[in-house]
Amino acid sequence: MSTMESRRVTGWIGAGLLALPVAGLLTAWSTIGAQPDQTTDPEAWARFVTSKAYMLGHVLGSTGGTILAIFATFALGVHLATSRAGGLAVPAMVITVAGHTLLLVPAAISTFVTPAVGQAYLDGTPEVMRITFPDEMTVAFLLGLLFALVGNVLLGVAVWCSQTLPRGAGALWILATVVFYLLGVVLGQATTGSSLPTQTIGAVMAAVAGGWIAWSVLRRRPHGTAASSVQSTA
């Protein structure tokens, strides 16, 4: 690989790592404000999901955050591939990206189908609330949730073991993953059926961990050097 190509690859990795905190912040924004219970208060739910804020939060926050997270995960996996944790980081990257991709399926439905259902209810068609989605969507959601949880935990372990990134950032990434997915998404679906404040907290923690990772790499990278020359952190 020529010097110019090496610099180009290094630049894309750096951009991807910078996407880590941005993805976390966008995700945190999208989880602020739990939607009303559609069973006990369908009108409040319908007005909530048909609002401009709901659409904007889902398009830019949830979907945009997930797309950036996929880009950032690739960058983190590539950066870690030549470290001591390379054997773990690469499969962790694949599992995580698979999880995020599967979660884009229910995210798209929530973004574009749910507002249509809410508007139909407000227009005088209450029967629309009885719409059910196929079991395949539930399977895709659960698989995506499992892959994202396992993959991100493994990525955190890879950061911890890499000796090229701060161990504290890896530990915080693992904790953020548990808080967001287990104490946020899973617990929220099992109790209120909506997002819990723990999702926002977990996403902010992931943003901090991602920013820490990006900063630790970029501050040690001399201008014009390849990613492989990044010095190890203590």
Side-chain angles (χ1 to χ4, degrees):
M1 181 182 295
S2 67
T3 301
M4 183 174 295
E5 290 173 334
S6 179
R7 290 177 181 177
R8 188 179 298 118
V9 171
T10 300
W12 277 110
I13 293 175
L17 293 177
L18 286 174
L20 284 170
V22 178
L25 291 176
L26 283 175
T27 302
W29 170 50
S30 70
T31 60
I32 296 174
Q35 65 186 40
D37 192 315
Q38 66 185 82
T39 302
T40 59
D41 196 350
E43 183 169 350
W45 174 85
R47 295 192 182 281
F48 180 86
V49 300
T50 53
S51 66
K52 294 295 184 181
Y54 178 89
M55 178 63 72
L56 187 63
H58 275 66
V59 171
L60 295 181
S62 180
T63 304
T66 301
I67 292 172
L68 277 180
I70 292 173
F71 174 42
T73 300
F74 276 125
L76 181 58
V78 171
H79 175 75
L80 290 171
T82 56
S83 72
R84 294 193 177 186
L88 175 62
V90 173
M93 174 189 72
V94 173
I95 295 170
T96 303
V97 169
H100 286 315
T101 304
L102 284 170
L103 289 176
L104 280 173
V105 176
I109 293 174
S110 179
T111 301
F112 300 109
V113 177
T114 300
V117 173
Q119 189 60 56
Y121 179 87
L122 294 175
D123 289 342
T125 312
E127 295 83 7
V128 74
M129 299 298 289
R130 292 199 290 268
I131 287 179
T132 57
F133 294 102
D135 293 338
E136 289 79 3
M137 193 188 82
T138 302
V139 172
F141 172 72
L142 293 177
L143 280 177
L145 196 61
L146 178 62
F147 287 171
L149 171 64
V150 173
N152 275 295
V153 167
L154 292 178
L155 275 177
V157 174
V159 170
W160 174 276
C161 298
S162 67
Q163 296 189 2
T164 62
L165 294 173
R167 284 192 167 190
L172 183 59
W173 187 271
I174 295 171
L175 182 60
T177 300
V178 172
V179 171
F180 182 84
Y181 288 106
L182 289 184
L183 302 182
V185 180
V186 174
L187 186 60
Q189 291 297 317
T191 54
T192 66
S194 183
S195 61
L196 296 176
T198 42
Q199 279 186 254
T200 306
I201 295 171
V204 171
M205 292 169 63
V208 173
W212 191 355
I213 290 170
W215 177 78
S216 70
V217 171
L218 297 179
R219 76 184 179 90
R220 291 172 176 267
R221 177 178 294 165
H223 180 69
T225 58
S228 60
S229 66
V230 177
Q231 298 177 10
S232 299
T233 59

